[in-house]
Amino acid sequence: MNNPTICAIATAPGGAIGIIRISGSEALTIADRIFRPVGSNAPLADRRPYTLAFGNIVNAENEVVDEVLVSIFHAPHSYTGENSVEISCHGSAYILQQVMFLLTQNGCIPAGPGEFTQRAFLNGKMDLSQAEAVADLISATNKATHDMALSQLKGHFSNELSDLRAHLLKLTSLLALELDFSEHEELEFAARSELYTLACDIHQRLASLARSFEVGNALKNGIPVAIVGKTNVGKSTLLNHLLHEEKAIVSDVHGTTRDFIEDTTIINGIQFRFVDTAGIRPTDDVVENIGIERTYQKLQEAKIVLWLIDQQPTEAEIEDIKERVADKKLIIVRNKIDKSTAHSTFNIQHSTFTTVDISAKYGTNIPVLEQLIVEAADIPQLSESDIVITSARHYSALLLADESLQRVIDSMNLGLSGDLLAEDLRIVIDHLAEITGEERITPQETLQNIFTHFCIGK
């Protein structure tokens, strides 16, 4: 590709060291124009790759801007697949801007957002799903999201899709052969029993990948936890303890929280998104009623619900909450144990929900509650090799691919012709290709697969 050489500051401001990255066919040549090495005068292009050169960055007047280390990468063995240079200098904003100015004066153009990773994708250094993992890795806020992004960046998801694609392409090629020899009706290159078994196996693998999105999405965006209850039971105080900061206003006045307050925190390496909701009570206040309606909305969106009480609830209240959280994990949090021990015997009849006694005011048993929240999240232990879908785009493509594959299975059950099967198989492959950014399957690719794997009379 005939791309211009690009440059950008690759480190956050304020650090002791700043790194400027250059990539493109002229990267080494442009860097040479402003770099004066100490010792050897050999041009950067003549130096061995993966080596460092020490020297000075100088301006047009041959004045030293900074002492630097220059890292050398020769195409295609670099992040972008192009000639690349990384200049490590002092982290002064002035120095970094001066070096950037000199590079642009000598032929570089400033890189756009994500352009280095885009070039890595376009040059075949990574597929589209791996490129997306770079952004996820940078934004990872806990071990779980870090491990998921790293697994995807290393190509575990891509390899799984590549294996599925190879099996599907083989089946498509065999069905194409049958069409080529359609005058010989007795020929069946793709045994229907084998095809059916393989299609069902791939269907299960696609469904398993799609199911992992629920876990992946929760870990990436935070598991939603709603704190609900009557007014003045201590919801805002509890939220502040869980977030370890004074996020919500705490007051003895009923109805202080009239809208939901939302923030995230990490417990045992898992990100949770806590929502403090408006207190539930009968009221004529229009604004407070709007807040209560939003409470019910957030309750529906939550995976875990903390029902905060400070006295024995009525049977009607118990039945109401049970109905609203039928598909969620409910933890009944009995608050204000610092005021009385009598209410610790509250009995929620006909319920098997988890119950814990706390004092939100003094933080008593908050660690116990946090552990119950982690257990309620029911997040499986993930290893680096586990494949977990975190992208809604990937999830949508997997569902569409699985839907097309299900049509293949249904068509075989109905005994439909091979040309219909082949068309749906091609659609499956196309949907999987959308995830990795590969070209859609072409007749030429099918022919190549035929001649590579199925030699007919040489």
Side-chain angles (χ1 to χ4, degrees):
M1 296 186 301
N2 186 24
N3 284 330
T5 298
I6 56 175
C7 62
I9 300 172
T11 48
I17 301 297
I19 297 176
I20 292 176
R21 175 179 281 177
I22 314 167
S23 182
S25 58
E26 299 298 313
L28 298 167
T29 302
I30 293 174
D32 260 329
R33 293 171 187 163
I34 66 170
F35 177 64
R36 298 295 179 267
V38 173
S40 171
N41 290 321
L44 295 178
D46 294 340
R47 295 174 184 251
R48 287 188 303 161
Y50 311 124
T51 58
L52 296 174
F54 173 70
N56 298 311
I57 297 295
V58 297
N59 60 22
E61 288 73 35
N62 212 33
E63 297 171 336
V64 174
V65 175
D66 195 18
E67 287 185 342
V68 301
L69 282 174
V70 173
S71 306
I72 302 161
F73 305 91
H74 292 178
H77 306 295
S78 70
Y79 179 77
T80 59
E82 303 171 328
N83 286 336
S84 296
V85 173
E86 290 184 358
I87 302 174
S88 300
C89 51
H90 292 93
S92 158
Y94 172 77
I95 291 174
L96 291 168
Q97 291 303 326
Q98 285 297 301
V99 176
M100 283 291 294
F101 173 75
L102 292 172
L103 288 172
T104 55
Q105 286 292 96
N106 282 276
C108 278
I109 65 169
E115 189 170 354
F116 288 94
T117 302
Q118 182 184 32
R119 291 193 178 197
F121 165 67
L122 294 173
N123 291 327
K125 300 297 290 186
M126 60 179 69
D127 64 31
L128 194 54
S129 70
Q130 290 173 298
E132 290 170 307
V134 173
D136 288 342
L137 190 62
I138 293 171
S139 62
T141 57
N142 55 70
K143 186 178 187 301
T145 52
H146 168 270
D147 290 349
M148 290 188 300
L150 194 59
S151 172
Q152 188 169 319
L153 181 60
K154 288 186 173 181
H156 296 152
F157 182 34
S158 302
N159 292 338
E160 174 74 3
L161 294 179
S162 178
D163 183 58
L164 293 176
R165 191 179 192 276
H167 282 93
L168 291 165
L169 183 57
K170 175 183 176 182
L171 296 176
T172 304
S173 303
L174 287 169
L175 290 169
L177 276 178
E178 287 185 5
L179 296 176
D180 287 342
F181 289 89
S182 57
E183 67 274 12
H184 302 283
E185 295 183 1
E186 72 282 359
L187 287 178
E188 189 178 81
F189 289 93
R192 291 300 181 267
S193 59
E194 178 185 350
L195 177 58
Y196 186 83
T197 300
L198 188 54
C200 289
D201 178 58
I202 295 174
H203 166 64
Q204 291 179 355
R205 290 165 71 180
L206 290 176
S208 176
L209 287 172
R211 282 195 301 270
S212 73
F213 178 68
E214 181 180 356
V215 172
N217 186 54
L219 289 174
K220 182 177 179 180
N221 298 310
I223 298 169
V225 182
I227 305 173
V228 301
K230 291 183 177 180
T231 58
N232 211 29
V233 294
K235 298 188 300 298
S236 296
T237 305
L238 175 59
L239 176 71
N240 290 339
H241 269 293
L242 292 169
L243 297 179
H244 305 288
E245 64 172 298
E246 297 297 316
K247 183 75 175 182
I249 297 173
V250 176
S251 170
D252 291 333
V253 178
H254 288 271
T256 304
T257 304
R258 295 192 168 201
D259 202 350
F260 64 87
I261 300 172
E262 185 171 349
D263 207 345
T264 61
T265 192
I266 295 172
I267 305 174
N268 288 10
I270 301 172
Q271 181 169 267
F272 291 90
R273 192 170 71 251
F274 288 99
V275 183
D276 175 21
T277 61
I280 301 172
R281 66 165 181 164
T283 178
D284 295 328
D285 190 299
V286 175
V287 176
E288 192 175 348
N289 269 320
I290 293 173
I292 293 170
E293 286 301 316
R294 291 182 178 178
T295 292
Y296 289 131
Q297 178 184 341
K298 286 297 176 181
L299 193 150
Q300 291 302 314
E301 295 172 2
K303 179 177 180 179
I304 302 170
V305 176
L306 307 183
W307 184 25
L308 202 62
I309 59 176
D310 61 359
Q311 59 183 342
Q312 177 68 43
T314 66
E315 281 297 320
E317 290 170 339
I318 294 171
E319 291 304 315
D320 179 64
I321 197 73
K322 286 172 63 177
E323 181 180 345
R324 292 182 184 276
V325 301
D327 59 339
K328 306 175 189 304
K329 299 291 182 65
L330 175 66
I331 300 175
I332 300 173
V333 185
R334 299 185 293 200
N335 191 23
K336 303 183 181 179
I337 61 172
D338 54 287
K339 288 191 173 182
S340 169
T341 57
H343 81 283
S344 64
T345 59
F346 288 172
N347 185 24
I348 310 300
Q349 298 291 336
H350 313 299
S351 173
T352 58
F353 297 126
T354 304
T355 305
V356 61
D357 296 327
I358 71 162
S359 168
K361 181 177 181 179
Y362 295 104
T364 307
N365 283 345
I366 295 298
V368 176
L369 173 59
E370 289 178 333
Q371 185 56 40
L372 291 174
I373 293 171
V374 170
E375 292 172 3
D378 195 25
I379 298 298
Q381 189 69 33
L382 300 176
S383 67
E384 185 186 306
S385 59
D386 288 329
I387 301 172
V388 179
I389 305 304
T390 60
S391 166
R393 187 182 72 82
H394 299 171
Y395 176 64
S396 176
L398 286 169
L399 289 182
L400 291 172
D402 196 37
E403 180 182 308
S404 297
L405 190 60
Q406 185 61 56
R407 287 200 300 269
V408 173
I409 295 172
D410 293 341
S411 296
M412 282 189 285
N413 285 329
L414 294 172
L416 299 183
S417 62
D419 57 338
L420 296 176
L421 300 179
E423 179 59 29
D424 279 328
L425 283 172
R426 278 192 289 271
I427 293 173
V428 175
I429 295 173
D430 287 345
H431 285 310
L432 296 182
E434 291 174 8
I435 296 175
T436 56
E438 295 175 285
E439 295 291 336
R440 294 183 172 234
I441 185 172
T442 63
Q444 289 79 8
E445 189 174 6
T446 302
L447 287 172
Q448 183 180 1
N449 188 268
I450 292 172
F451 292 122
T452 302
H453 295 93
F454 312 106
C455 184
I456 304 173
K458 289 194 175 180

mmCIF file with all atom_site columns, all heavy atoms in Angstrom, residues 427-440:
data_model
loop_
_atom_site.group_PDB
_atom_site.id
_atom_site.type_symbol
_atom_site.label_atom_id
_atom_site.label_alt_id
_atom_site.label_comp_id
_atom_site.label_asym_id
_atom_site.label_entity_id
_atom_site.label_seq_id
_atom_site.pdbx_PDB_ins_code
_atom_site.Cartn_x
_atom_site.Cartn_y
_atom_site.Cartn_z
_atom_site.occupancy
_atom_site.B_iso_or_equiv
_atom_site.pdbx_formal_charge
_atom_site.auth_seq_id
_atom_site.auth_comp_id
_atom_site.auth_asym_id
_atom_site.auth_atom_id
_atom_site.pdbx_PDB_model_num
ATOM 1   N N   . ILE A 1 427 ? -23.603 -18.362 3.380  1.00 0.00 ? 427 ILE A N   1
ATOM 2   C CA  . ILE A 1 427 ? -24.077 -17.256 4.222  1.00 0.00 ? 427 ILE A CA  1
ATOM 3   C C   . ILE A 1 427 ? -23.484 -17.368 5.621  1.00 0.00 ? 427 ILE A C   1
ATOM 4   O O   . ILE A 1 427 ? -23.083 -16.361 6.231  1.00 0.00 ? 427 ILE A O   1
ATOM 5   C CB  . ILE A 1 427 ? -25.615 -17.248 4.275  1.00 0.00 ? 427 ILE A CB  1
ATOM 6   C CG1 . ILE A 1 427 ? -26.193 -16.904 2.892  1.00 0.00 ? 427 ILE A CG1 1
ATOM 7   C CG2 . ILE A 1 427 ? -26.116 -16.248 5.315  1.00 0.00 ? 427 ILE A CG2 1
ATOM 8   C CD1 . ILE A 1 427 ? -27.696 -17.025 2.806  1.00 0.00 ? 427 ILE A CD1 1
ATOM 9   N N   . VAL A 1 428 ? -23.396 -18.600 6.151  1.00 0.00 ? 428 VAL A N   1
ATOM 10  C CA  . VAL A 1 428 ? -22.777 -18.815 7.467  1.00 0.00 ? 428 VAL A CA  1
ATOM 11  C C   . VAL A 1 428 ? -21.340 -18.315 7.450  1.00 0.00 ? 428 VAL A C   1
ATOM 12  O O   . VAL A 1 428 ? -20.892 -17.588 8.349  1.00 0.00 ? 428 VAL A O   1
ATOM 13  C CB  . VAL A 1 428 ? -22.817 -20.303 7.863  1.00 0.00 ? 428 VAL A CB  1
ATOM 14  C CG1 . VAL A 1 428 ? -22.070 -20.520 9.180  1.00 0.00 ? 428 VAL A CG1 1
ATOM 15  C CG2 . VAL A 1 428 ? -24.245 -20.800 7.990  1.00 0.00 ? 428 VAL A CG2 1
ATOM 16  N N   . ILE A 1 429 ? -20.595 -18.709 6.418  1.00 0.00 ? 429 ILE A N   1
ATOM 17  C CA  . ILE A 1 429 ? -19.182 -18.308 6.302  1.00 0.00 ? 429 ILE A CA  1
ATOM 18  C C   . ILE A 1 429 ? -19.067 -16.787 6.199  1.00 0.00 ? 429 ILE A C   1
ATOM 19  O O   . ILE A 1 429 ? -18.173 -16.179 6.791  1.00 0.00 ? 429 ILE A O   1
ATOM 20  C CB  . ILE A 1 429 ? -18.532 -18.992 5.089  1.00 0.00 ? 429 ILE A CB  1
ATOM 21  C CG1 . ILE A 1 429 ? -18.485 -20.509 5.304  1.00 0.00 ? 429 ILE A CG1 1
ATOM 22  C CG2 . ILE A 1 429 ? -17.121 -18.468 4.857  1.00 0.00 ? 429 ILE A CG2 1
ATOM 23  C CD1 . ILE A 1 429 ? -18.011 -21.290 4.090  1.00 0.00 ? 429 ILE A CD1 1
ATOM 24  N N   . ASP A 1 430 ? -19.969 -16.162 5.450  1.00 0.00 ? 430 ASP A N   1
ATOM 25  C CA  . ASP A 1 430 ? -19.926 -14.703 5.288  1.00 0.00 ? 430 ASP A CA  1
ATOM 26  C C   . ASP A 1 430 ? -20.144 -13.984 6.623  1.00 0.00 ? 430 ASP A C   1
ATOM 27  O O   . ASP A 1 430 ? -19.481 -12.989 6.922  1.00 0.00 ? 430 ASP A O   1
ATOM 28  C CB  . ASP A 1 430 ? -20.974 -14.249 4.275  1.00 0.00 ? 430 ASP A CB  1
ATOM 29  C CG  . ASP A 1 430 ? -20.599 -14.602 2.845  1.00 0.00 ? 430 ASP A CG  1
ATOM 30  O OD1 . ASP A 1 430 ? -19.419 -14.927 2.619  1.00 0.00 ? 430 ASP A OD1 1
ATOM 31  O OD2 . ASP A 1 430 ? -21.482 -14.567 1.972  1.00 0.00 ? 430 ASP A OD2 1
ATOM 32  N N   . HIS A 1 431 ? -21.073 -14.496 7.428  1.00 0.00 ? 431 HIS A N   1
ATOM 33  C CA  . HIS A 1 431 ? -21.318 -13.870 8.728  1.00 0.00 ? 431 HIS A CA  1
ATOM 34  C C   . HIS A 1 431 ? -20.106 -14.010 9.647  1.00 0.00 ? 431 HIS A C   1
ATOM 35  O O   . HIS A 1 431 ? -19.770 -13.080 10.388 1.00 0.00 ? 431 HIS A O   1
ATOM 36  C CB  . HIS A 1 431 ? -22.552 -14.475 9.392  1.00 0.00 ? 431 HIS A CB  1
ATOM 37  C CG  . HIS A 1 431 ? -23.852 -14.017 8.793  1.00 0.00 ? 431 HIS A CG  1
ATOM 38  N ND1 . HIS A 1 431 ? -24.137 -12.686 8.588  1.00 0.00 ? 431 HIS A ND1 1
ATOM 39  C CD2 . HIS A 1 431 ? -24.936 -14.721 8.349  1.00 0.00 ? 431 HIS A CD2 1
ATOM 40  C CE1 . HIS A 1 431 ? -25.356 -12.576 8.053  1.00 0.00 ? 431 HIS A CE1 1
ATOM 41  N NE2 . HIS A 1 431 ? -25.850 -13.789 7.899  1.00 0.00 ? 431 HIS A NE2 1
ATOM 42  N N   . LEU A 1 432 ? -19.438 -15.154 9.606  1.00 0.00 ? 432 LEU A N   1
ATOM 43  C CA  . LEU A 1 432 ? -18.237 -15.333 10.417 1.00 0.00 ? 432 LEU A CA  1
ATOM 44  C C   . LEU A 1 432 ? -17.113 -14.424 9.916  1.00 0.00 ? 432 LEU A C   1
ATOM 45  O O   . LEU A 1 432 ? -16.316 -13.912 10.710 1.00 0.00 ? 432 LEU A O   1
ATOM 46  C CB  . LEU A 1 432 ? -17.785 -16.801 10.392 1.00 0.00 ? 432 LEU A CB  1
ATOM 47  C CG  . LEU A 1 432 ? -18.754 -17.810 11.014 1.00 0.00 ? 432 LEU A CG  1
ATOM 48  C CD1 . LEU A 1 432 ? -18.152 -19.217 10.958 1.00 0.00 ? 432 LEU A CD1 1
ATOM 49  C CD2 . LEU A 1 432 ? -19.086 -17.441 12.452 1.00 0.00 ? 432 LEU A CD2 1
ATOM 50  N N   . ALA A 1 433 ? -17.067 -14.223 8.607  1.00 0.00 ? 433 ALA A N   1
ATOM 51  C CA  . ALA A 1 433 ? -16.033 -13.355 8.034  1.00 0.00 ? 433 ALA A CA  1
ATOM 52  C C   . ALA A 1 433 ? -16.215 -11.906 8.474  1.00 0.00 ? 433 ALA A C   1
ATOM 53  O O   . ALA A 1 433 ? -15.242 -11.158 8.570  1.00 0.00 ? 433 ALA A O   1
ATOM 54  C CB  . ALA A 1 433 ? -16.064 -13.446 6.512  1.00 0.00 ? 433 ALA A CB  1
ATOM 55  N N   . GLU A 1 434 ? -17.454 -11.509 8.755  1.00 0.00 ? 434 GLU A N   1
ATOM 56  C CA  . GLU A 1 434 ? -17.694 -10.143 9.228  1.00 0.00 ? 434 GLU A CA  1
ATOM 57  C C   . GLU A 1 434 ? -16.986 -9.883  10.552 1.00 0.00 ? 434 GLU A C   1
ATOM 58  O O   . GLU A 1 434 ? -16.570 -8.755  10.832 1.00 0.00 ? 434 GLU A O   1
ATOM 59  C CB  . GLU A 1 434 ? -19.200 -9.914  9.405  1.00 0.00 ? 434 GLU A CB  1
ATOM 60  C CG  . GLU A 1 434 ? -19.976 -9.875  8.092  1.00 0.00 ? 434 GLU A CG  1
ATOM 61  C CD  . GLU A 1 434 ? -21.482 -9.794  8.334  1.00 0.00 ? 434 GLU A CD  1
ATOM 62  O OE1 . GLU A 1 434 ? -21.876 -9.613  9.508  1.00 0.00 ? 434 GLU A OE1 1
ATOM 63  O OE2 . GLU A 1 434 ? -22.248 -9.923  7.374  1.00 0.00 ? 434 GLU A OE2 1
ATOM 64  N N   . ILE A 1 435 ? -16.833 -10.917 11.371 1.00 0.00 ? 435 ILE A N   1
ATOM 65  C CA  . ILE A 1 435 ? -16.204 -10.748 12.682 1.00 0.00 ? 435 ILE A CA  1
ATOM 66  C C   . ILE A 1 435 ? -14.720 -10.475 12.528 1.00 0.00 ? 435 ILE A C   1
ATOM 67  O O   . ILE A 1 435 ? -14.163 -9.581  13.171 1.00 0.00 ? 435 ILE A O   1
ATOM 68  C CB  . ILE A 1 435 ? -16.431 -12.008 13.547 1.00 0.00 ? 435 ILE A CB  1
ATOM 69  C CG1 . ILE A 1 435 ? -17.921 -12.197 13.821 1.00 0.00 ? 435 ILE A CG1 1
ATOM 70  C CG2 . ILE A 1 435 ? -15.642 -11.918 14.852 1.00 0.00 ? 435 ILE A CG2 1
ATOM 71  C CD1 . ILE A 1 435 ? -18.257 -13.474 14.567 1.00 0.00 ? 435 ILE A CD1 1
ATOM 72  N N   . THR A 1 436 ? -14.059 -11.232 11.664 1.00 0.00 ? 436 THR A N   1
ATOM 73  C CA  . THR A 1 436 ? -12.611 -11.117 11.527 1.00 0.00 ? 436 THR A CA  1
ATOM 74  C C   . THR A 1 436 ? -12.194 -10.127 10.442 1.00 0.00 ? 436 THR A C   1
ATOM 75  O O   . THR A 1 436 ? -11.011 -9.789  10.338 1.00 0.00 ? 436 THR A O   1
ATOM 76  C CB  . THR A 1 436 ? -11.997 -12.491 11.195 1.00 0.00 ? 436 THR A CB  1
ATOM 77  O OG1 . THR A 1 436 ? -12.618 -13.017 10.012 1.00 0.00 ? 436 THR A OG1 1
ATOM 78  C CG2 . THR A 1 436 ? -12.215 -13.459 12.348 1.00 0.00 ? 436 THR A CG2 1
ATOM 79  N N   . GLY A 1 437 ? -13.164 -9.677  9.647  1.00 0.00 ? 437 GLY A N   1
ATOM 80  C CA  . GLY A 1 437 ? -12.839 -8.717  8.595  1.00 0.00 ? 437 GLY A CA  1
ATOM 81  C C   . GLY A 1 437 ? -12.316 -9.362  7.335  1.00 0.00 ? 437 GLY A C   1
ATOM 82  O O   . GLY A 1 437 ? -11.767 -8.678  6.467  1.00 0.00 ? 437 GLY A O   1
ATOM 83  N N   . GLU A 1 438 ? -12.489 -10.687 7.197  1.00 0.00 ? 438 GLU A N   1
ATOM 84  C CA  . GLU A 1 438 ? -12.043 -11.375 5.987  1.00 0.00 ? 438 GLU A CA  1
ATOM 85  C C   . GLU A 1 438 ? -12.993 -11.081 4.831  1.00 0.00 ? 438 GLU A C   1
ATOM 86  O O   . GLU A 1 438 ? -14.148 -10.693 5.024  1.00 0.00 ? 438 GLU A O   1
ATOM 87  C CB  . GLU A 1 438 ? -11.999 -12.891 6.222  1.00 0.00 ? 438 GLU A CB  1
ATOM 88  C CG  . GLU A 1 438 ? -10.974 -13.335 7.242  1.00 0.00 ? 438 GLU A CG  1
ATOM 89  C CD  . GLU A 1 438 ? -11.077 -14.833 7.500  1.00 0.00 ? 438 GLU A CD  1
ATOM 90  O OE1 . GLU A 1 438 ? -12.022 -15.240 8.182  1.00 0.00 ? 438 GLU A OE1 1
ATOM 91  O OE2 . GLU A 1 438 ? -10.206 -15.571 7.024  1.00 0.00 ? 438 GLU A OE2 1
ATOM 92  N N   . GLU A 1 439 ? -12.476 -11.294 3.635  1.00 0.00 ? 439 GLU A N   1
ATOM 93  C CA  . GLU A 1 439 ? -13.332 -11.163 2.454  1.00 0.00 ? 439 GLU A CA  1
ATOM 94  C C   . GLU A 1 439 ? -14.369 -12.275 2.462  1.00 0.00 ? 439 GLU A C   1
ATOM 95  O O   . GLU A 1 439 ? -14.129 -13.378 2.965  1.00 0.00 ? 439 GLU A O   1
ATOM 96  C CB  . GLU A 1 439 ? -12.482 -11.260 1.176  1.00 0.00 ? 439 GLU A CB  1
ATOM 97  C CG  . GLU A 1 439 ? -11.501 -10.126 1.005  1.00 0.00 ? 439 GLU A CG  1
ATOM 98  C CD  . GLU A 1 439 ? -12.174 -8.797  0.712  1.00 0.00 ? 439 GLU A CD  1
ATOM 99  O OE1 . GLU A 1 439 ? -13.308 -8.832  0.198  1.00 0.00 ? 439 GLU A OE1 1
ATOM 100 O OE2 . GLU A 1 439 ? -11.579 -7.752  1.015  1.00 0.00 ? 439 GLU A OE2 1
ATOM 101 N N   . ARG A 1 440 ? -15.507 -11.981 1.900  1.00 0.00 ? 440 ARG A N   1
ATOM 102 C CA  . ARG A 1 440 ? -16.532 -13.014 1.799  1.00 0.00 ? 440 ARG A CA  1
ATOM 103 C C   . ARG A 1 440 ? -16.075 -14.115 0.857  1.00 0.00 ? 440 ARG A C   1
ATOM 104 O O   . ARG A 1 440 ? -15.258 -13.881 -0.030 1.00 0.00 ? 440 ARG A O   1
ATOM 105 C CB  . ARG A 1 440 ? -17.857 -12.408 1.309  1.00 0.00 ? 440 ARG A CB  1
ATOM 106 C CG  . ARG A 1 440 ? -18.451 -11.445 2.342  1.00 0.00 ? 440 ARG A CG  1
ATOM 107 C CD  . ARG A 1 440 ? -19.771 -10.894 1.908  1.00 0.00 ? 440 ARG A CD  1
ATOM 108 N NE  . ARG A 1 440 ? -20.378 -10.151 2.990  1.00 0.00 ? 440 ARG A NE  1
ATOM 109 C CZ  . ARG A 1 440 ? -21.596 -10.383 3.456  1.00 0.00 ? 440 ARG A CZ  1
ATOM 110 N NH1 . ARG A 1 440 ? -22.331 -11.348 2.960  1.00 0.00 ? 440 ARG A NH1 1
ATOM 111 N NH2 . ARG A 1 440 ? -22.082 -9.648  4.447  1.00 0.00 ? 440 ARG A NH2 1
#
